[in-house]
Amino acid sequence: QSLSHRKNRRLSFSALMISLGVSLINPHGLKGVLYPFLLIPQVTHSGNIFKDTIYEFAPIAPLSPETLPLYLYLFLAAAVSIHSFYQKKWFEGLVLVFFSLLAIKAQRNFNLLLFVSLPILCRSTLLTSFRIKLSRPVKRFLLIGISFFALAYSFLFFSNRIYRHENRLERFGLGFNDSVFSRNLSPFLNSLPQGVKIFNSMSLGGYLIYHSPGIKVFYDGRLDVYGPEFHKEYLRMTQDLPFFLE
């Protein structure tokens, strides 16, 4: 945005090049930098197998008391994006539109929207443009409220509380979850002969990798590694016994 101003052009161009260079410092190089753009077909295509079978890939649920804060945040982001376009802040407007689309199409991307939109929302002049005069305590309260919502939702998300709630796994907290996993499973697997083949559910893969590193899992949650075709085959194996035995 500041590249259009001649006075800041050199500094802005240098900052842009440094940012792009730093982005390349990842295990996958250019492919890792371009990965966010690969999310678009994954979360928008209606025929995506992951969207039909995995909760985190599904769109945001219809309006309800639980999803009301999400819709309010999306409404606020939409209002700020329109205001950004009106002020010719094209970059901020496009960022809000792009990540809002990702969040709407797949709930797992809502955290991405929070991450990139929070600084834009907190410094927006949307209210002052409508000549709405707010006292400093009120402005501070609004900023703290928005920030608290973003942090609280992020905590619920990365702690897996949202997923647990939707799937009715009521236990929440740190430590071993006896309602889902068996403490005897790992010792049993570790006692098996080396090279034994196992068939495990996708949700169990991460647990097995951590507790039984000597066992090669059949499937785990790294969906982008296995791909949609393998996921289709896995689903068929869980429903078709002859195909499973084959």
Side-chain angles (χ1 to χ4, degrees), residues 146-170:
I146 295 175
S147 302
F148 178 78
F149 167 77
L151 292 173
Y153 184 86
S154 298
F155 172 77
L156 292 177
F157 194 89
F158 75 71
S159 65
N160 220 18
R161 177 64 178 124
I162 293 175
Y163 178 81
R164 290 172 185 269
H165 176 76
E166 291 293 330
N167 289 271
R168 299 298 182 263
L169 300 179
E170 300 301 334

Side-chain angles (χ1 to χ4, degrees), residues 102-114:
L102 290 180
I104 292 172
K105 291 295 185 178
Q107 182 160 327
R108 76 166 188 169
N109 296 323
F110 200 87
N111 256 28
L112 297 178
L113 172 64
L114 292 175

Side-chain angles (χ1 to χ4, degrees), residues 71-109:
Y71 280 96
L72 290 177
Y73 195 90
L74 286 170
F75 175 79
L76 180 59
V80 173
S81 66
I82 294 173
H83 181 65
S84 298
F85 286 127
Y86 178 78
Q87 291 189 318
K88 297 182 179 180
K89 296 181 179 179
W90 310 113
F91 178 76
E92 292 185 358
L94 289 173
V95 165
L96 291 174
V97 170
F98 176 78
F99 283 94
S100 295
L101 175 63
L102 290 180
I104 292 172
K105 291 295 185 178
Q107 182 160 327
R108 76 166 188 169
N109 296 323

Side-chain angles (χ1 to χ4, degrees), residues 10 14-15 28 37-38 45 53 71 75 90 93 101 103 133 136 149 160 162 175 178 195 199 219 233 237 240 244:
R10 180 176 298 179
S14 300
H28 304 284
F37 298 97
L38 300 179
H45 195 274
T53 57
Y71 280 96
F75 175 79
W90 310 113
L101 175 63
K133 294 184 179 180
R136 181 171 294 181
F149 167 77
N160 220 18
I162 293 175
D178 294 283
F199 176 83
Y219 198 13
E233 185 176 356
M237 292 179 73
D240 187 342
F244 170 80

Side-chain angles (χ1 to χ4, degrees), residues 164 171-178 181 183:
R164 290 172 185 269
R171 181 190 179 281
F172 174 65
L174 302 176
F176 195 89
N177 192 344
D178 294 283
F181 305 118
R183 294 184 181 273

